[in-house]
Amino acid sequence: MTPPLRGIVPPILTPLSDPGTLDVAGLEKLVERLLAGGVHGIFALGTTGEGPSLSQRLRREMVAHTLRLVNGRVPVLVGITDTSLEDSVSLAKFAADAGAYSAVHAAPPYFPLSQGELWEFVRKLNAALPLPLFLYNMPGLTKVTFEMETLRRARDLPNLIGVKDSSGDMNYFHKLLGVARERPDWSVLIGPEEMTPEAVLFGAHGGINGGANLHPRLYVSLYEAAVAQNLPEIRRLHAEVMRLAGAVYTVSPHRSALICGLKCALSLLGVCQDVPADPFRPFDAAQREEMRARLKMLGLLG
Amino acid sequence: MTPPLRGIVPPILTPLSDPGTLDVAGLEKLVERLLAGGVHGIFALGTTGEGPSLSQRLRREMVAHTLRLVNGRVPVLVGITDTSLEDSVSLAKFAADAGAYSAVHAAPPYFPLSQGELWEFVRKLNAALPLPLFLYNMPGLTKVTFEMETLRRARDLPNLIGVKDSSGDMNYFHKLLGVARERPDWSVLIGPEEMTPEAVLFGAHGGINGGANLHPRLYVSLYEAAVAQNLPEIRRLHAEVMRLAGAVYTVSPHRSALICGLKCALSLLGVCQDVPADPFRPFDAAQREEMRARLKMLGLLG
Amino acid sequence: MTPPLRGIVPPILTPLSDPGTLDVAGLEKLVERLLAGGVHGIFALGTTGEGPSLSQRLRREMVAHTLRLVNGRVPVLVGITDTSLEDSVSLAKFAADAGAYSAVHAAPPYFPLSQGELWEFVRKLNAALPLPLFLYNMPGLTKVTFEMETLRRARDLPNLIGVKDSSGDMNYFHKLLGVARERPDWSVLIGPEEMTPEAVLFGAHGGINGGANLHPRLYVSLYEAAVAQNLPEIRRLHAEVMRLAGAVYTVSPHRSALICGLKCALSLLGVCQDVPADPFRPFDAAQREEMRARLKMLGLLG
Amino acid sequence: MTPPLRGIVPPILTPLSDPGTLDVAGLEKLVERLLAGGVHGIFALGTTGEGPSLSQRLRREMVAHTLRLVNGRVPVLVGITDTSLEDSVSLAKFAADAGAYSAVHAAPPYFPLSQGELWEFVRKLNAALPLPLFLYNMPGLTKVTFEMETLRRARDLPNLIGVKDSSGDMNYFHKLLGVARERPDWSVLIGPEEMTPEAVLFGAHGGINGGANLHPRLYVSLYEAAVAQNLPEIRRLHAEVMRLAGAVYTVSPHRSALICGLKCALSLLGVCQDVPADPFRPFDAAQREEMRARLKMLGLLG
């Protein structure tokens, strides 16, 4: 039995030079930044990575370059969520050939399934994959939750090795930890960075936290403090995460504020270009200046 | 100025022999059935056509075969909704080369956009397309509505030629008709078949009604009665549509009941196979027998 | 068997001189205005009447004065929706003693019930009432829909005499008309005024339309045109309703815009004071001026 | 400055002998059970206490008896949420006269307010109250959230002394703790018992946890472990809470399962009768036997 993946696994941004072209130099800088920050894995093509927004072609380029640049230093998880199962599996095969650690799939994002249908889908997906699978609970975007009854059935799938939960519902997360207890090889990771320390204190294995793109060291330190059960340190670092999130994700009032905010921030730091994938658009000049001021206030920009 | 498209434009089912293979013989029978029923157009790869569930490859096969089989007898609209704009445009180019009448795109189905972002998306999409565009309002699946402010801005796009509304909200639809009045070339079509006659009475140009796959003549007759403002006939035919919908779409309690119900029904009628695309699954034997009984009760099966 | 109530039954505003005091003079003017406009009934303490916002005391005052002022000229329906069944029944008794035609109750607005629970509730409520009952489908505010299974069971209650539907979902409304067909004494009324004509064309008995507070004659004429199946007249008057609604209900962007808009408009017309009940607040001076301009544009103010 | 209220403050059930009659003997046993369990306060007429379902009369009886029975041993908070502000304030005056510690009010539960309207409402409510106020964030039932901008404004109200959050959203809760930091007299309490320990670890003052009706000592011990930052003990007791909640709240699939489950369980323990207020109904015989089995499995019943 492989031990579960533990730690901070940033959902890496997809640096672009224009909406259809990978910013390979930016990706290299971002990968090195994350690894220098001590992250324990990298999750490519997640929600923060705008995976579903990229063309099938661009997803493959992102996978290939990420695996080449990471070069085995940490495991690379690859998001394969798509409205088409065939295209999901095809991407997973590409990722497996490139050396990915696992695939990650949310509930099918267009047609809402019943739990029975979702279970059948998970079983079929899992059987078709050439690499291990994480389920990704993201009801805010997919409209469907992986209910406990479905997760209990999914414990029978040996090739399913973990769950990422981005519901933001800690009651759900505590129940998920209970279900996962019978699969000690499962890695249970939390999405919202504001809840990573409490998740880890109660048994989670880590976090897939968007903010780690911007400040990987902070999230790694917070994870380590949680593992060490060092409560004063947890509270201090958690307050810092809350401050960062409150500043970086709120420059725009729209749902795109998180991803566009991170891309804008990283371009201000000189890491990659400020080009979101369609259908998003970069911040305008005023928002960019506001972000600059906030990064200075946070001490992230000189 | 081209006059607006009018009439019943069925969102044609995608007949499959297995989840990854087009049932070409079934498609041919279905196309002939629709044309024999008098439909005024065909909409391929819509929601009822499971467009987003098909692989990029299978979508192209469906487009090519549908256009070949229809062979210019009625206009063919092609759904290009995808989470990736690049892949949407690529499919639209394929459809244009194959002779499609227009593309149809819903709000991007993964990331919810603000109205300002949605307008920018529509503008960019429209500019990139080699054929005319219908907007497709489907908030139940995409989580986003094309609000009136956005539709008003969209009136400036000459290559945008219509709107399909599947919100089920007649107040919205009435407002949409008001906005469309200044673009007399726009075709305003309604999705839910239960509302087609009232929509047409108030100025809509027709319906994109799933049930027309099963009984095209009924929907065409109802449309014609609405155009003729023949209220007794409208009420009689509308009651028949309500009876059909109440029987065929309720064999299963899940959201998949409509599409799986239509595929099951058409396979019982010998038109095509009963194979939904992933992530759906065909009805089980008991549901199939229930459907058989209902089709007999409706007089659609001997 | 009593024939079903038919026509326009305005959900009468509750004129106030301050948030806790009835504006009796205003109420008298409003009642006379409605009756002069030809309305077929009056619904007091509905949503537009801010019924749930009024104290138990003020609700009784509104009922007593309305019945006194109407003085039998048309039937008066009384909204008794409350979070407490005992207080609902108590108000219904008061209304019955005052001569009300029927009570109107929505799904309990605090705790969401399952359909089985809702049916038990309806049965118990109905049994406890000293006067006939209308069910009021208002899921946007109560979070619960009266599903068809529940309405079918409710057909067994002789003292239940009608349903008002404010869901805005015409597919639901068409199904409701089907269920009601077996109870020819039921009155099926629609809430959203934008849909009254189509509802009546398909068999509804009338509308409980907020805008009839402002322009009763328009709504009565539209209802009469629908009964007469005069389609050109329907379309002309419906366009006028859409224009009125689009102007009067959109001065503020909030959900309160409809009720506060009507109160502001009627105060500008000199009918009653511009005092909403708590928790709403009157329009500010700029909004009031905007409303004045819009009423002039509509020709409702000289 | 009064120090903030800290600890476990159960939202006490309202024992009834029939839906309109208080079970005073049951209430006495329940109060003594809670106090013997070490609770730090009692919250009457909350959601779990079915406050909104009770008549105005019965709410007063519950307040009077609770305060008489508690007799100053712990503070008593009284829920005054109502659709009518006047009736809320009237109940608050009654509670103040009876010696209540504070009133508790959620967002108005019928008409959804904008944040600006909500702030005006809070200001007006607060000014009208003869005792201190807790805000109660319960968007699942009221449809409206107290957003941070509103809570920040509410910091200016000296007579506002705390917030109870039942959103289940820990990101919200962490932000709330941040806002509350500038009002060190505020008591920030969490509703969902599954999250009490993490809330306390990050600075909350305690929990208003329904399960404390059934097993007060467990919740008090868990709170104390959290205050002591004793992580092994927290995890042990939290697992027990999860087990209790997973057993007691899931006998029925409906939203009423929590309240009806607690009432059924406490009647099986001989504390009070199994009579929910309308619109709820008691468990049937099979559900009652299932509950008995679960209580035995939990070791709560011999």
Side-chain angles (χ1 to χ4, degrees), chain D residues 154-171:
Chain D
R155 286 189 304 213
D156 293 340
L157 302 173
N159 207 31
L160 202 159
I161 62 165
V163 181
K164 176 196 175 184
D165 174 36
S166 290
S167 68
D169 175 348
M170 282 305 296
N171 188 7

Side-chain angles (χ1 to χ4, degrees), chain C residues 191-258:
Chain C
E193 56 210 63
E194 297 85 353
M195 305 171 207
T196 297
E198 60 209 88
V200 171
L201 286 175
F202 283 88
H205 302 88
I208 296 189
N209 303 147
N213 281 283
L214 181 57
H215 195 346
R217 176 57 64 198
L218 170 61
Y219 293 80
V220 169
S221 302
L222 178 54
Y223 165 75
E224 288 168 349
V227 170
Q229 305 191 348
N230 181 340
L231 281 165
E233 189 71 354
I234 288 172
R235 287 179 69 159
R236 190 181 65 80
L237 295 168
H238 181 258
E240 219 175 305
V241 164
M242 292 303 293
R243 203 157 46 235
L244 184 152
V248 174
Y249 303 159
T250 60
V251 171
S252 139
H254 306 310
R255 289 282 292 270
S256 55
L258 194 152

Side-chain angles (χ1 to χ4, degrees), chain B residues 77-144:
Chain B
L77 291 67
V78 174
I80 60 166
T81 303
D82 198 279
T83 57
S84 157
L85 176 60
E86 181 177 321
D87 287 343
S88 291
V89 171
S90 168
L91 179 60
K93 287 181 176 155
F94 184 91
D97 290 345
Y101 173 81
S102 84
V104 182
H105 203 300
Y110 193 72
F111 289 113
L113 299 185
S114 70
Q115 291 300 307
E117 292 169 332
L118 187 58
W119 159 241
E120 295 292 348
F121 173 80
V122 167
R123 187 160 62 170
K124 186 166 184 180
L125 169 68
N126 190 248
L129 288 183
L131 77 182
L133 173 64
F134 272 71
L135 297 182
Y136 176 11
N137 189 48
M138 180 42 125
L141 293 178
T142 66
K143 311 179 291 282
V144 171

Side-chain angles (χ1 to χ4, degrees), chain D residues 78-153:
Chain D
V78 174
I80 60 166
T81 303
D82 198 277
T83 56
S84 156
L85 176 60
E86 181 177 322
D87 287 344
S88 291
V89 170
S90 168
L91 180 60
K93 286 180 176 155
F94 184 90
D97 291 345
Y101 173 80
S102 84
V104 182
H105 204 299
Y110 193 71
F111 288 113
L113 300 185
S114 71
Q115 292 299 307
E117 292 169 331
L118 187 58
W119 159 241
E120 295 292 347
F121 173 80
V122 167
R123 186 159 63 170
K124 185 165 184 180
L125 169 67
N126 190 248
L129 288 183
L131 77 182
L133 174 63
F134 272 72
L135 297 181
Y136 175 12
N137 189 49
M138 180 42 125
L141 294 179
T142 66
K143 310 178 292 280
V144 171
T145 293
F146 289 98
E147 301 288 359
M148 293 307 135
E149 63 190 88
T150 303
L151 294 174
R152 266 185 224 107
R153 298 172 92 173

Side-chain angles (χ1 to χ4, degrees), chain A residues 168-172 174-175 181 192 194-195 197-203 229-232 234-235 238-239 242, chain D residues 168-172 174-175 181 192 194-195 197-203 229-232 234-235 238-239 242:
Chain A
D169 175 348
M170 282 306 294
N171 188 8
Y172 176 92
H174 286 306
K175 287 192 242 171
R181 209 159 290 137
E194 298 84 354
M195 305 170 207
E198 61 209 87
V200 171
L201 286 175
F202 283 88
Q229 304 192 348
N230 181 341
L231 281 165
I234 288 172
R235 288 178 69 159
H238 181 257
M242 293 302 294
Chain D
D169 175 348
M170 282 305 296
N171 188 7
Y172 176 91
H174 287 306
K175 288 192 241 170
R181 207 158 293 138
E194 299 84 353
M195 305 171 206
E198 61 208 88
V200 171
L201 286 175
F202 282 88
Q229 305 192 351
N230 180 341
L231 281 166
I234 288 173
R235 288 178 68 158
H238 182 256
M242 292 303 293

Side-chain angles (χ1 to χ4, degrees), chain D:
Chain D
M1 191 192 87
T2 319
L5 178 64
R6 293 178 182 277
I8 296 298
V9 182
I12 191 171
L13 294 170
T14 301
L16 300 171
S17 52
D18 68 61
T21 310
L22 199 63
D23 168 10
V24 179
L27 178 60
E28 179 163 9
K29 277 193 261 185
L30 182 54
V31 164
E32 293 308 322
R33 179 182 179 85
L34 297 179
L35 293 175
V39 305
H40 308 82
I42 285 181
F43 172 35
L45 300 181
T47 296
T48 306
E50 298 170 281
S53 297
L54 307 180
S55 68
Q56 303 287 335
R57 171 192 59 76
L58 197 47
R59 292 183 212 182
R60 281 165 171 72
E61 289 184 32
M62 178 63 186
V63 168
H65 283 287
T66 302
L67 278 151
R68 176 182 60 80
L69 291 165
V70 170
N71 195 22
R73 289 177 283 176
V74 295
V76 175
L77 292 67
V78 174
I80 60 166
T81 303
D82 198 277
T83 56
S84 156
L85 176 60
E86 181 177 322
D87 287 344
S88 291
V89 170
S90 168
L91 180 60
K93 286 180 176 155
F94 184 90
D97 291 345
Y101 173 80
S102 84
V104 182
H105 204 299
Y110 193 71
F111 288 113
L113 300 185
S114 71
Q115 292 299 307
E117 292 169 331
L118 187 58
W119 159 241
E120 295 292 347
F121 173 80
V122 167
R123 186 159 63 170
K124 185 165 184 180
L125 169 67
N126 190 248
L129 288 183
L131 77 182
L133 174 63
F134 272 72
L135 297 181
Y136 175 12
N137 189 49
M138 180 42 125
L141 294 179
T142 66
K143 310 178 292 280
V144 171
T145 293
F146 289 98
E147 301 288 359
M148 293 307 135
E149 63 190 88
T150 303
L151 294 174
R152 266 185 224 107
R153 298 172 92 173
R155 286 189 304 213
D156 293 340
L157 302 173
N159 207 31
L160 202 159
I161 62 165
V163 181
K164 176 196 175 184
D165 174 36
S166 290
S167 68
D169 175 348
M170 282 305 296
N171 188 7
Y172 176 91
F173 194 81
H174 287 306
K175 288 192 241 170
L176 162 59
L177 286 172
V179 169
R181 207 158 293 138
E182 292 183 31
R183 274 289 297 262
D185 60 322
W186 273 16
S187 172
V188 180
L189 304 172
I190 193 156
E193 54 209 64
E194 299 84 353
M195 305 171 206
T196 298
E198 61 208 88
V200 171
L201 286 175
F202 282 88
H205 302 88
I208 296 190
N209 303 147
N213 280 282
L214 181 58
H215 195 346
R217 174 59 63 199
L218 170 61
Y219 293 80
V220 169
S221 301
L222 178 53
Y223 165 75
E224 288 169 350
V227 170
Q229 305 192 351
N230 180 341
L231 281 166
E233 189 70 355
I234 288 173
R235 288 178 68 158
R236 191 180 66 78
L237 295 169
H238 182 256
E240 220 175 302
V241 163
M242 292 303 293
R243 204 155 47 235
L244 185 152
V248 172
Y249 303 157
T250 61
V251 170
S252 139
H254 306 310
R255 289 282 293 269
S256 55
L258 195 152
I259 291 172
C260 294
L262 284 173
K263 281 209 159 163
C264 178
L266 280 160
S267 79
L268 285 164
L269 296 185
V271 176
C272 64
Q273 299 186 41
D274 183 11
V275 180
D278 293 306
F280 289 160
R281 297 175 63 85
F283 278 176
D284 63 25
Q287 290 172 317
R288 188 169 175 86
E289 285 318 297
E290 176 64 28
M291 180 63 83
R292 188 192 304 276
R294 293 188 181 191
L295 292 178
K296 284 183 179 171
M297 183 265 292
L298 290 168
L300 293 173
L301 196 63

